[in-house]
Amino acid sequence: KCAHLRLVCQAEQKPYYMSRLWWCGIILLGLGEVGNFTAYGFAPIALVAPLGCVSVTGSVFISVFFLKKTMRTADILGGALTITGIYLLVTFAPSAPQELTARQVQNYLVSWPFLVYSILEIIIFCILLYFYKRKAVKHIVVLLMMVALLASLTVIAVKAMSSMIALSVKGKMQLTYSVFYIMIVLMAASCAFQIKFLNQAMHLYEATAVVPINFVFFTTSAIISGVIFYREFQSAALLSVFMFLFGCLLSFLGVIIIARNKKEEHLQIPFIDCGHIPGQNLTGKIQPDSHSSCYGTLNKEEDLVKSQI
């Protein structure tokens, strides 16, 4: 964002990919995603997915220094709620063993809870896709629910791949199993369709509406998939589950408060002033009086109307 704003202000316009600052941002973004991928191999999905709110909160404070934005009271309140929620998430997250072998992943894939969950998810997705394609329903909830349903498959595949790679690095080779490559295909396909529907939502709606709704839907879907597929809360105490869900709720509220009533900033696009078009002298009014009988007509049409009267 900062790189784009700087390029717009320059007298000589250059492509964004020629900016060193833009490349620094892309590299940092890539490193963050690598860290996120690695985290799934060492921590439960129910913990890693909600911690995505750290990026939303962090971007608010970083934008004050880089984009010279003003810190709002809502940002401070939302940040405080998010940090409190993060503390509860880390404290009461499930402590199930996270080393997953290829054989364990295979067993989870054919377990009856996951099969029932998959059938329900496919039915819901097909219904939403029918309304999206046939009825042209492009409501933000429809689009982001499809993204969330696909995201549940993505996090399942990412955790399985990350765990198997981690075990292989430790000396327990898991990459020779076919389930590893099945998970790669599942991750790539679900990510591709996620991008399609998320891009559609960003095109039709403001980012201030898409970001919080997508975070809530994605996190909820990821937690449910972790509970059903990897059985992460199988031996957790009832109090721990309640406090974990309360931490999720605080994180949701924090993100919503931060994004709520936040104005969208658009880059300044150069344009030609209508009063300074080369070789053209403007006379008369640009816009006729709205009460006139010739409202919306050109000057020649206005003269014709007057002659007829």
Side-chain angles (χ1 to χ4, degrees):
K1 179 71 172 181
C2 186
H4 283 296
L5 289 173
R6 287 186 181 182
L7 289 172
V8 166
C9 296
Q10 291 179 358
E12 184 181 354
Q13 296 295 318
K14 295 181 180 180
Y16 62 89
Y17 52 81
M18 298 293 289
S19 170
R20 294 180 181 179
L21 183 62
W22 184 82
W23 277 109
C24 286
I26 291 297
I27 291 171
L28 289 173
L29 185 63
L31 290 175
E33 290 304 317
V34 170
N36 192 41
F37 177 85
T38 307
Y40 280 106
F42 298 94
I45 291 176
L47 175 60
V48 178
L51 289 181
C53 63
V54 174
S55 62
V56 179
T57 308
S59 64
V60 172
F61 294 97
I62 292 174
S63 64
V64 174
F65 299 99
F66 282 90
L67 304 178
K68 308 302 179 184
K69 291 187 177 181
T70 304
M71 181 69 68
R72 306 175 303 161
T73 305
D75 296 332
I76 298 173
L77 176 61
L81 288 173
T82 304
I83 292 171
T84 306
I86 290 170
Y87 173 77
L88 294 175
L89 289 172
V90 174
T91 304
F92 297 98
S95 56
Q98 297 307 312
E99 285 193 352
L100 295 168
T101 64
R103 292 190 180 278
Q104 285 179 310
V105 175
Q106 288 176 350
N107 293 333
Y108 288 150
L109 279 173
V110 296
S111 62
W112 70 265
F114 178 69
L115 292 176
V116 173
Y117 172 73
S118 300
I119 292 171
L120 290 175
E121 188 173 80
I122 291 171
I123 292 173
I124 295 172
F125 185 83
C126 290
I127 292 172
L128 293 173
L129 191 63
Y130 170 78
F131 283 104
Y132 173 76
K133 287 287 188 181
R134 298 295 184 181
K135 302 296 183 180
V137 177
K138 296 182 179 180
H139 194 274
I140 187 171
V141 173
V142 173
L143 291 169
L144 295 183
M145 277 190 68
M146 288 193 290
V147 172
L149 291 173
L150 292 167
S152 65
L153 300 177
T154 303
V155 295
I156 288 173
V158 167
K159 180 168 180 60
M161 289 171 54
S162 182
S163 299
M164 286 188 278
I165 290 173
L167 284 175
S168 300
V169 171
K170 293 179 181 179
K172 301 176 182 178
M173 180 54 64
Q174 304 291 316
L175 306 185
T176 55
Y177 291 88
S178 59
V179 69
F180 177 78
Y181 302 96
I182 292 173
M183 288 299 173
I184 291 178
V185 174
L186 181 63
M187 182 192 69
S190 58
C191 281
F193 285 103
Q194 273 187 82
I195 293 171
K196 171 183 171 60
F197 295 121
L198 188 58
N199 183 63
Q200 183 74 23
M202 291 293 288
H203 177 70
L204 295 174
Y205 301 95
E206 299 263 344
T208 53
V210 175
V211 170
I213 296 175
N214 183 57
F215 173 72
V216 172
F217 283 6
F218 167 80
T219 305
T220 304
S221 178
I223 292 173
I224 293 173
S225 64
V227 170
I228 294 175
F229 191 85
Y230 293 110
R231 304 166 189 175
E232 293 180 341
F233 284 94
Q234 190 172 14
S235 58
L238 183 60
L239 178 61
S240 298
V241 174
F242 174 79
M243 294 303 294
F244 179 86
L245 294 176
F246 183 63
C248 289
L249 179 61
L250 291 180
S251 300
F252 293 163
L253 288 175
V255 172
I256 292 171
I257 289 173
I258 289 173
R260 181 171 168 264
N261 297 328
K262 203 170 188 179
K263 294 181 179 178
E264 281 284 304
E265 292 186 3
H266 302 281
L267 299 178
Q268 298 175 358
I269 302 174
F271 62 91
I272 300 176
D273 189 351
C274 291
H276 298 85
I277 300 177
Q280 180 70 33
N281 294 324
L282 298 179
T283 58
K285 295 186 294 183
I286 298 296
Q287 178 64 50
D289 185 7
S290 60
H291 298 289
S292 171
S293 60
C294 57
Y295 176 69
T297 61
L298 300 176
N299 290 334
K300 290 183 180 180
E301 294 177 346
E302 185 178 358
D303 296 337
L304 180 62
V305 172
K306 290 182 179 178
S307 63
Q308 289 177 351
I309 293 176

